[in-house]
Amino acid sequence: MPALRILMVAAEMAPFAQEGGLGDSVLGLSQALSRIGHDVRVVLPGYSSIDASRHSLRHCLSMDVPMGILGSLPCGVLQGRAPGSGVTVYFVRYDPYYARSGLYGHGGDGYPDNDRRFVLLCRAALELTGALGLEPDVVHVHDWHAAAVPVFLDTLYRKDAASRNPASLLTIHNMQQQGVFDKGLMDVLDIGWEHFHFRDLEFFDRVNLLKGGIYHATLLNTVSPSYAAEIRQREFAHGIEGAIRDREADLSGILNGADYAEWNPETDPRIAANYSERDRAGKGLCKRDLQRTLGLPETGPGVPLLGVVSRLVGQKGIDLIAGAAHRIFGLDAQLVVLGAGEPWAETFFRTLARDHPDRFACRIGYDGTLAHKVMAGSDFFVMPSRFEPCGLTQMYAMRYGTPPVARATGGLADTVEDFDETTRTGTGFLFDGATERALLDALGRATRAFRGRPDAMDALIRNAMARRFTWASAAERYEGLYAEAGRRRENEGR
Ligand code: ADP
Ligand code: GLC
């Protein structure tokens, strides 16, 4: 395939700014595309939390970005490089919007001007493209934060039929967050009120940026095939299933990859001892190290340690873990939780740790090193998600020989195979219902195998460690989508 010029726009990218898997995904995909010869550039907000000197960022240009009724906003652009790749990253600086303590908000609430913060990102990305003469073949945008880009490309930035318009791809990492705001945003977007329409940006008399992106992007995808099918239903589409169905012929699902340079128990410098599929002795040391780090008593060989690394939100089924916690202890297991999120959950887990110090430990907050230690030191990884567009942590857990106990939804259903003791196939334990009962049944299966059937357990761990989800194969699939989007653009002028 000829080398393409790919411009990505997103709110997160590791290691610069990240709150969840979106950041891993934007980094992993852009690196993989660059490795196979494409020219990949990424535009991110210039959050003040990004350390310009640590990442060797330099000033690239200054520009005034038109924002409709708000007038033009003076932005600076810094330029840097994603680690281990030729990916150029541009950071849009506008301190009144991006010099804040959080990426999206504070204490669980989004910033009230998130509409302007992310519309500015989108508009600035296109202004920057013009100022630098980038002429991308495809503009690939992620989630609602960047969803105004395809809307702009299809309206204000549309060139006449004789010129080349770039194709666009919108990747939906999470349908729950749609960017829904007061309709006054139409005057900031400045694309004309005719777009405040049911089959466009309008959503219950408000503006829905993700919905606008869905209608205007050349092609759409989500981050797993199962989630792409699920979001045709109301329950998973959070009210915009109609828009998804209108465009279902243009929607596909591509699984994310995992970064095995970062997540590899054979070389990981953050864990107590390295280990491999052939020699797992180090994993026992990692378990003891995790217990010591979190102040849990070291246990005999029959007590499994269950690990959770997650945003503490409804999506992840955290309430199911909370509700089942005492019965989980009744399975003679220890449980550790690393995460941050909804205030009730943070308080609940802190109290649980105080009341059951021999069974339960938690760290509330974001801690990259501890995330590695939990992956390596746990016997099972617990993930009872209500919905899961892809999920990366279960992939990491498998690589560390920590079979997931997960709900069969979205990317979890596509990446974890239920263990069958007779055939010795499978990489974890899956369950269907989003209930405490179903979670406990699956944990019961897991703990019984752990305690009573070492051969089966050994097969399960080997299967899990052998599974690979690479960015190289995801990048090949994206190449196919870019090519298809380019053809559509030429044929339909979409
Ligand atoms: P999501 O993006 O929905 O949160 P993913 O499984 O795709 O779920 O990605 C989560 C990413 O965030 C993983 O890299 C995981 O290790 C990381 N992560 C989540 N919570 C924490 C935490 N409290 N501390 C460290 N890393 C975390
Ligand atoms: C979102 C989803 C998660 C996915 C990640 C990266 O945060 O919740 O399932 O893995 O994006 O695509």
Side-chain angles (χ1 to χ4, degrees):
M1 159 163 222
L4 295 173
R5 283 172 304 231
I6 303 162
L7 182 79
M8 294 213 196
V9 186
E12 296 186 20
M13 181 183 195
F16 306 107
Q18 166 168 35
E19 279 197 4
L22 176 63
D24 289 333
S25 183
V26 173
L27 175 69
L29 178 60
S30 55
Q31 284 176 327
L33 287 164
S34 152
R35 269 182 210 128
I36 51 180
H38 300 294
D39 174 341
V40 188
R41 293 159 198 257
V42 184
V43 184
L44 298 176
Y47 303 110
S48 55
S49 53
I50 299 169
D51 184 338
S53 67
R54 180 159 80 90
H55 295 296
S56 313
L57 309 186
R58 59 179 178 77
H59 177 79
C60 167
L61 61 97
S62 301
M63 61 185 184
D64 288 328
V65 179
M67 285 281 281
I69 201 171
L70 301 178
S72 284
L73 304 183
C75 297
V77 177
L78 298 181
Q79 181 179 335
R81 202 151 264 240
S85 74
V87 179
T88 302
V89 188
Y90 301 102
F91 301 86
V92 178
R93 294 270 323 252
Y94 182 65
D95 284 355
Y97 284 0
Y98 305 129
R100 313 251 172 110
S101 58
L103 307 188
Y104 306 115
H106 185 70
D109 295 322
Y111 293 124
D113 57 351
N114 270 349
D115 51 353
R116 296 166 182 199
R117 295 176 75 230
F118 291 106
V119 167
L120 177 65
L121 169 71
C122 295
R123 194 86 202 246
L126 295 174
E127 289 294 310
L128 175 68
T129 307
L132 297 178
L134 295 180
E135 300 199 7
D137 299 297
V138 58
V139 180
H140 182 172
V141 306
H142 300 268
D143 275 352
W144 77 263
H145 321 98
V149 170
V151 177
F152 285 138
L153 280 173
D154 216 13
T155 53
L156 299 179
Y157 290 79
R158 196 180 181 91
K159 298 180 204 142
D160 59 37
S163 320
R164 236 187 90 267
N165 283 294
S168 60
L169 173 67
L170 168 62
T171 298
I172 302 174
H173 296 259
N174 195 326
M175 273 306 262
Q176 193 175 37
Q177 271 106 45
Q178 300 179 357
V180 180
F181 301 101
D182 185 88
K183 63 184 167 195
L185 184 60
M186 289 305 294
D187 288 327
V188 178
L189 291 166
D190 207 23
I191 52 174
W193 279 85
E194 67 273 23
H195 293 284
F196 192 64
H197 180 272
F198 173 65
R199 284 214 153 92
D200 207 322
L201 283 148
E202 190 269 344
F203 182 69
F204 294 102
D205 206 34
R206 309 186 81 203
V207 170
N208 183 321
L209 290 172
L210 186 67
K211 189 177 170 201
I214 289 170
Y215 278 109
H216 288 276
T218 317
L219 287 180
L220 315 169
N221 80 297
T222 67
V223 284
S224 69
S226 288
Y227 192 62
E230 287 168 348
I231 60 170
R232 293 174 169 94
Q233 303 156 40
R234 185 171 180 80
E235 179 196 349
F236 290 97
H238 306 273
I240 54 170
E241 57 282 358
I244 292 293
R245 282 197 220 117
D246 278 347
R247 300 245 22 222
E248 67 188 334
D250 307 317
L251 168 69
S252 57
I254 300 180
L255 268 185
N256 285 327
D259 180 349
Y260 293 113
E262 168 85 5
W263 296 94
N264 179 356
E266 293 176 41
T267 53
D268 191 337
R270 305 199 240 194
I271 59 178
N274 293 117
Y275 57 94
S276 66
E277 275 162 82
R278 288 169 310 286
D279 178 3
R280 300 201 306 267
K283 190 161 171 63
L285 297 175
C286 291
K287 179 172 178 178
R288 282 196 286 287
D289 173 62
L290 178 62
Q291 288 167 320
R292 264 197 303 271
T293 305
L294 293 175
L296 279 174
E298 288 179 28
T299 44
V303 180
L305 178 55
L306 312 176
V308 175
V309 178
S310 179
R311 291 182 291 122
L312 304 179
V313 296
Q315 171 191 344
K316 303 288 180 181
I318 291 304
D319 49 310
L320 301 176
I321 297 175
H326 289 93
R327 281 167 290 165
I328 293 175
F329 305 154
L331 295 169
D332 197 15
Q334 288 180 330
L335 176 66
V336 303
V337 170
L338 166 62
E342 290 170 10
W344 75 265
E346 297 189 351
T347 309
F348 177 90
F349 287 123
R350 281 204 180 99
T351 311
L352 195 68
R354 202 191 54 214
D355 294 347
H356 299 275
D358 55 332
R359 288 283 170 208
F360 181 72
C362 70
R363 274 283 196 290
I364 302 301
Y366 199 91
D367 184 336
T369 299
L370 190 56
H372 284 246
K373 285 179 183 279
V374 175
M375 291 299 168
S378 304
D379 294 302
F380 295 100
F381 189 75
V382 188
M383 209 167 166
S385 304
R386 286 215 157 66
F387 69 91
E388 196 60 72
C390 178
L392 297 170
T393 45
Q394 81 280 10
M395 298 179 182
Y396 306 151
M398 284 187 260
R399 182 72 189 88
Y400 281 72
T402 307
V405 178
R407 184 152 175 263
T409 184
L412 294 174
D414 292 344
T415 56
V416 181
E417 188 195 343
D418 193 43
F419 186 61
D420 180 330
E421 261 205 58
T422 7
T423 56
R424 300 275 158 103
T425 53
T427 55
F429 294 93
L430 287 176
F431 59 97
D432 285 321
T435 62
E436 290 168 23
R437 186 69 268 153
L439 167 63
L440 280 161
D441 284 349
L443 286 172
R445 286 171 64 204
T447 51
R448 279 194 299 279
F450 181 83
R451 236 167 248 134
R453 293 191 279 289
D455 288 358
M457 203 51 214
D458 184 59
L460 169 62
I461 293 173
R462 282 169 184 276
N463 295 345
M465 291 187 82
R467 286 296 275 139
R468 290 289 185 282
F469 305 92
T470 67
W471 278 115
S473 67
E476 258 176 50
R477 306 273 323 273
Y478 276 98
E479 274 188 321
L481 273 193
Y482 297 153
E484 173 64 20
R487 282 192 292 275
R488 296 278 186 99
R489 175 61 87 198
E490 268 167 36
N491 296 341
E492 299 166 15
R494 191 175 232 303

